[in-house]
Amino acid sequence: MNLLQTTTRVLTQASLETSLGTLLVIADNNALYLLDFVDDSKLEQKMTRLKKQLNATVITGRTAAIDLFEKELTLYVAGNLEQFTTPVTLLGTPFQQQVWQTLQTIPFGSTYSYAQLAHAVGKPTAWRAVAQANGANKLPIIVPCHRVINTGGALGGY
């Protein structure tokens, strides 16, 4: 037996049919790690990266975190919830995590420009880096990257 052998983490995935489309959610019992639309062309790549990053295998099933997210999403879409309480694990660089945490402070029904978001994270000239971090968000909806727009008011192309 190899004493340096690492343990493989087991994550659970579920497909959720929602009014927004079919979502794939990956979680353990404690938190969500990935949330994406099943028709995203990069979903397989994101899953592969997540499994490698966490030394994890993914099985199909349900967890408490997935069940809580599904309940909260239903309330959110119906306009009865403004902020999610589902626990999440943000996997990224310290800068990405800072951007994602700041995204969660944008009030429901409000938007920020990439420049405003860059200013909010203390890097007013780093709007391109902020846009890249926004686009690397693995938990859209919960971490509301959709609340960030171009300075002119249009959606960004991340």
Side-chain angles (χ1 to χ4, degrees), residues 3 58 75 90 96 101 110 127 131 136 147 155:
L3 296 176
V58 178
L75 293 170
L90 301 173
Q96 288 172 326
Q101 289 166 355
S110 299
W127 56 271
R147 295 183 186 161
L155 294 177

Side-chain angles (χ1 to χ4, degrees), residues 16 18-25 34-44 46 73 138 140-141:
L16 306 178
T18 75
S19 60
L20 302 173
T22 305
L23 297 172
L24 180 77
V25 183
L34 179 70
L35 162 65
D36 208 346
F37 292 93
V38 296
D39 60 357
D40 182 344
S41 62
K42 296 181 181 179
L43 178 59
E44 201 61 43
K46 291 174 186 179
L73 181 63
K138 295 175 192 74
I141 305 171

